[in-house]
Amino acid sequence: MNAFPNPAPPATRPALKVKGDLALPLARLHEACGPARHTLAMVIAAATQGPVLWIAPPWQGAALNPDGMVAFAGPERFIWIAPERPADILWTLEEALRSGAAPLMVADLAGPPGLTPVRRLHLAAETGAAQGAGAPLGLILTPDSGGAPGIETRWHMAPAHAAMEGWSLTRLRARTAPPAAWHLSGTPEHWHMTRAKVV
């Protein structure tokens, strides 16, 4: 008989089930990258209920088109925040997560933040979950292949040119799951998600 009891398995963190294996632990910060990162953010928004805070700098230029958004989520759900200074984008996201005022908060960034801001955002989301109406989910959008250190999960989405339609979705990083890839096809109301080879 073993004198040392087996340790209890780690508790599974509640997650937002988006579609298939696309699940995002709540009260954490996640990263969406790649040329279709805005589409991925819309897919995630469609899986939530309530307001979505979308933080993007005014100098970025290209704003989301409500006509394109409506297939995913009603534009009336979105609260647009446009900080004037680059440093205010992460500060705004941190304060929003800490408030727990919305289930999804998105920040559109020019590049991945460092480890210290990511840790602060994780803590802010946990605080928001403890004192808000629910557990907020933080999502940062970064170009190319992303690369924010300390992130809970990182997802890359791009048009699936080889398949002539749909999207290629890759889980590049997750604390509790290996890298994996899928092909998304269909329409926002009827997505089909099939496994693909990780390249």
Side-chain angles (χ1 to χ4, degrees):
M1 181 176 206
N2 190 350
F4 299 100
N6 291 329
T12 303
R13 185 182 290 270
L16 173 68
K17 189 86 166 154
V18 179
K19 178 72 178 174
D21 292 325
L22 175 50
L24 305 174
L26 297 171
R28 303 297 287 167
L29 183 71
H30 304 268
E31 182 177 17
C33 58
R37 60 191 178 274
H38 297 97
T39 301
L40 179 54
M42 288 293 112
V43 171
I44 294 167
T48 67
Q49 295 182 350
V52 177
L53 270 62
W54 192 285
I55 307 160
W59 62 85
Q60 203 171 46
L64 296 180
N65 183 340
D67 291 335
M69 295 169 60
V70 75
F72 298 91
E76 72 280 356
R77 292 179 50 204
F78 288 74
I79 299 170
W80 307 100
I81 304 170
E84 292 291 336
R85 299 182 311 152
D88 290 339
I89 298 172
L90 290 176
W91 178 86
T92 303
L93 179 59
E94 182 178 341
E95 292 302 310
L97 286 169
R98 185 174 288 113
S99 75
L104 177 62
M105 300 164 191
V106 182
D108 200 351
L109 304 177
L115 181 59
T116 299
V118 168
R119 285 180 174 165
R120 290 179 62 92
L121 292 165
H122 281 311
L123 291 172
E126 291 172 2
T127 300
Q131 64 188 21
L137 188 111
L139 180 67
I140 57 171
L141 309 182
T142 57
D144 304 321
S145 295
I151 212 79
E152 185 74 21
T153 65
R154 179 178 304 116
W155 301 81
H156 182 277
M157 192 160 158
H161 295 300
M164 299 301 291
E165 67 167 13
W167 309 95
S168 296
L169 176 66
T170 306
R171 183 175 58 217
L172 298 176
R173 182 192 188 283
R175 290 181 187 268
T176 59
W182 297 267
H183 176 75
L184 267 68
S185 59
T187 63
E189 298 85 11
H190 305 287
W191 286 117
H192 300 287
M193 192 170 176
T194 54
R195 279 278 186 165
K197 184 178 179 181
V198 179
V199 292

